[in-house]
């Protein structure tokens, strides 16, 4: 790719976010899940943009779109830059996506400036971070980290399609998923840019922050089973109302997490058979539980289980619990955190803010492969995310691009001249 072509601007990055937002399975909002036709479409778009930025491109054995920009000589270990292209239901257009496009834009600048780094740069557009389709999150980045669990093959989506079947339908070979794994000797670290998904940058009137750590998360699918019956005919003392029981549990989840300083959310709940004049015989609901430390998170989970046991005992219900996701809390590598801070300083913010991430990120999975650090970018309207109103400004994206590029160059400096 010619060095004469000017590199993409912040405004073009936002236009690309709009182009990707159009690749949705829903007519009413953005929804793009792992191994779907929309996933294939955004991979193709990302591959084109990677190619224009001077990267050689390929889709890996887990459906992640990847690109490589060689350093001073071919075959050097690579700095990984990445984030995800999948979404939650009714999503915004920047969660994950902005980080992928910033990574491509950083390499595009290196191409235009004919910079040759002492390491290669690999850009990764992960196919699954959210876990929207199969319940288990971070499938794309876990494949790259080499922590794929064969038990996942039997996970299925809401239509009963298993992960194994979805792989084949997407044109992937389940038996080759191990080929997506990078080898730790071939990588030097991982940097991810991401919108903050919280209000703190906006409150502090700043554009960027360094991430210190990411909350450990567990997710569960819970089913409470009681007995369906006539809404008029069954007196209260004879009822085994699964929805009334689930309601008690939902409120206890909020109270226990709040009191302990953890975070817990029941984001999905469905009552069966779902008739207005039928007592709910079964309720299925989700639980997403996070905390700064895994010990705190697990203590709250124990307290929630105690409440569930008490509610079931009192109401004559049975509870089945399936853990669908478990990712431990992770801490950023000090050396990489400091290059992110250097990058922010290069944009004129001399005392970069540090934030703990309550949202999960691909960096959590990549932490099993290599050292990581993250750059947070302010998203407006109180940091609203996982919502169509997600927003960023072109000014902040421009500053983030400068900072992200400066961080890569700062790393190149320390990598070339390591301190003793
Ligand atoms: C991912 O966005 C998560 O934190 O759930
Ligand atoms: Mn998300
Ligand atoms: Mn994300």
């Amino acid at each position: 790719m010619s060095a004469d072509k000017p590199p993409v601007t912040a405004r073009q990055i936002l236009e690309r976010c709009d182009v990707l937002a159009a690749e949705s399975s829903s007519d009413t909002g953005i929804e793009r899940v792992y191994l779907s036709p929309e996933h294939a479409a955004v991979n193709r778009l990302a591959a084109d943009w990677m190619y224009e930025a001077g990267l050689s491109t390929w889709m890996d054995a887990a459906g992640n779109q990847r690109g490589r920009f060689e350093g001073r000589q071919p075959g050097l270990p690579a700095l990984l830059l990445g984030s995800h292209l999948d979404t939650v239901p009714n999503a915004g257009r920047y969660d994950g996506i902005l980080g992928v496009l910033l990574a491509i834009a950083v390499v595009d600048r290196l191409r235009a400036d004919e910079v040759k780094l002492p390491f290669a740069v690999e850009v990764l557009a992960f196919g699954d971070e959210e876990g929207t389709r199969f319940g288990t999150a971070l499938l794309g980045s876990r494949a790259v980290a080499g922590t794929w669990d064969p038990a996942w093959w039997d996970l299925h989506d809401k239509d009963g399609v298993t992960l194994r079947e979805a792989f084949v339908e997407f044109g992937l070979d389940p038996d080759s998923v191990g080929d997506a794994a990078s080898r730790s000797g071939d990588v030097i670290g991982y940097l991810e840019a991401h919108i903050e998904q919280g209000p703190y940058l906006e409150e502090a009137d700043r554009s960027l922050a360094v991430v210190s750590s990411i909350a450990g998360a567990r997710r569960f699918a819970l089913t409470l089973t009681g007995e369906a019956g006539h809404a008029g005919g069954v007196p209260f003392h004879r009822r085994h109302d699964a929805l009334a029981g689930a309601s008690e549990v939902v409120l206890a989840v909020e109270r226990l997490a709040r009191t302990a300083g953890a975070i817990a959310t029941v984001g999905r709940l469905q009552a069966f058979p779902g008739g207005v004049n039928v007592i709910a015989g079964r309720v299925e609901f989700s639980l997403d539980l996070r905390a700064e430390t895994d010990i705190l998170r697990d203590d709250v989970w124990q307290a929630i289980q105690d409440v569930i046991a008490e509610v079931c005992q009192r109401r004559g219900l049975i509870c089945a619990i399936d853990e669908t996701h478990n990712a431990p809390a992770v801490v950023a590598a000090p050396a990489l955190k400091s290059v992110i801070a250097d990058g922010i300083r290069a944009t004129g913010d001399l005392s970069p803010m540090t934030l703990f991430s309550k949202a999960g990120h691909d960096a959590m999975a990549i932490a099993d492969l290599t050292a990581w650090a993250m750059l947070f970018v302010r998203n407006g309207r109180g940091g609203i995310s996982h919502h169509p109103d997600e927003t960023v400004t072109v000014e902040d994206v421009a500053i983030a691009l400068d900072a992200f590029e400066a961080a890569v160059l700062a790393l190149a400096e320390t990598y070339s001249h390591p301190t003793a």
Side-chain angles (χ1 to χ4, degrees):
M1 198 48 54
S2 153
D4 300 338
K5 193 166 105 23
V8 287
T9 62
R11 189 159 297 285
Q12 286 170 308
I13 290 175
L14 292 184
E15 285 165 10
R16 288 177 174 186
C17 290
D18 295 342
V19 170
L20 294 179
E23 299 298 340
S24 171
S25 60
S26 157
D27 296 335
T28 55
I30 305 169
E31 178 162 346
R32 193 168 52 246
V33 299
Y34 191 37
L35 305 176
S36 61
E38 298 74 36
H39 173 186
V42 293
N43 274 5
R44 281 192 294 272
L45 287 162
D48 287 348
W49 295 328
M50 286 179 181
Y51 178 75
E52 287 171 23
L55 296 124
S56 56
T57 66
W58 73 101
M59 187 175 78
D60 75 16
N64 301 304
Q65 180 59 48
R66 294 164 80 154
R68 183 175 168 97
F69 184 75
E70 295 294 351
R72 279 180 198 148
Q73 67 224 40
L76 291 171
L79 171 66
L80 310 183
L81 304 180
S83 198
H84 61 98
L85 293 179
D86 66 313
T87 76
V88 293
N90 202 25
R93 57 188 60 201
Y94 305 111
D95 173 2
I97 290 110
L98 182 67
V100 172
L101 297 181
L102 280 168
I104 296 171
V106 165
V107 176
D108 202 26
R109 284 187 167 187
L110 300 175
R111 170 200 58 79
D113 293 341
E114 299 187 64
V115 175
K116 287 292 172 199
L117 297 171
F119 42 76
V121 177
E122 196 183 302
V123 175
L124 299 102
F126 295 113
D128 175 75
E129 185 268 0
E130 305 285 6
T132 306
R133 181 168 181 188
F134 293 103
T136 288
L138 303 166
L139 291 174
S141 37
R142 282 176 159 166
V144 172
T147 53
W148 188 271
D149 182 345
W152 295 335
W153 289 123
D154 296 327
L155 293 171
H156 55 81
D157 68 10
K158 62 178 173 13
D159 299 319
V161 178
T162 64
L163 181 54
R164 178 179 289 278
E165 289 164 346
F167 253 62
V168 173
E169 186 144 328
F170 199 73
L172 298 170
D173 172 11
D175 294 334
S176 301
V177 70
D179 295 350
S182 291
R183 292 185 320 157
S184 60
D186 292 340
V187 299
I188 65 163
Y190 172 77
L191 301 180
E192 178 171 355
H194 202 286
I195 54 168
E196 180 203 340
Q197 307 180 283
Y200 298 108
L201 279 168
E202 193 176 62
E203 278 175 26
D205 195 23
R206 290 174 185 245
S207 303
L208 304 174
V210 186
V211 175
S212 55
S213 57
I214 306 175
R218 292 175 77 173
R219 292 184 191 160
F220 303 90
L222 298 102
T223 305
L224 279 187
T225 305
E227 188 175 45
H230 197 290
V234 186
F236 280 119
H237 72 274
R238 297 184 70 114
R239 291 187 182 201
H240 303 289
D241 184 332
L243 184 52
S247 305
E248 283 196 57
V249 173
V250 171
L251 291 176
V253 160
E254 186 188 49
R255 176 174 45 77
L256 291 167
R258 205 170 175 160
T259 312
I263 312 162
T265 306
V266 176
R268 184 163 60 204
L269 185 148
Q270 215 177 347
F272 298 91
V276 287
N277 55 352
V278 185
I279 296 161
R282 186 173 94 251
V283 169
E284 296 177 2
F285 60 108
S286 61
L287 171 63
D288 176 301
L289 183 58
R290 308 168 188 228
E292 191 157 9
T293 66
D294 295 341
I295 292 175
L296 173 59
R297 180 199 62 185
D298 294 346
D299 283 352
V300 172
W301 172 230
Q302 187 54 56
I304 291 170
Q305 285 177 282
D306 292 346
V307 168
I308 292 172
E310 189 278 317
V311 168
C312 286
Q313 161 81 23
R314 178 162 39 80
R315 290 183 173 273
L317 306 172
I318 294 169
C319 184
I321 299 171
D322 183 20
E323 180 159 16
T324 55
H325 173 66
N326 186 329
V330 290
V331 177
L336 291 182
K337 232 171 36 175
S338 87
V339 300
I340 294 281
D342 287 346
I344 296 176
R345 275 191 216 96
T347 66
D349 175 354
L350 298 183
S351 53
M353 184 169 180
T354 298
L355 286 172
F356 151 61
S357 177
K358 288 134 187 145
H361 299 292
D362 294 294
M364 301 174 90
I366 297 298
D368 284 325
L369 171 70
T370 189
W372 66 273
M374 287 186 71
L375 173 71
F376 264 178
V377 185
R378 167 169 53 189
N379 64 303
R381 300 185 191 150
I384 192 164
S385 183
H386 285 186
H387 189 283
D389 286 351
E390 237 172 40
T391 178
V392 291
T393 65
V394 68
E395 292 79 14
D396 281 348
V397 172
I399 295 170
L401 177 54
D402 287 347
F404 208 26
E405 181 196 21
V408 171
L409 296 176
L411 182 61
E413 266 300 300
T414 53
Y415 193 76
S416 303
H417 308 108
T419 46

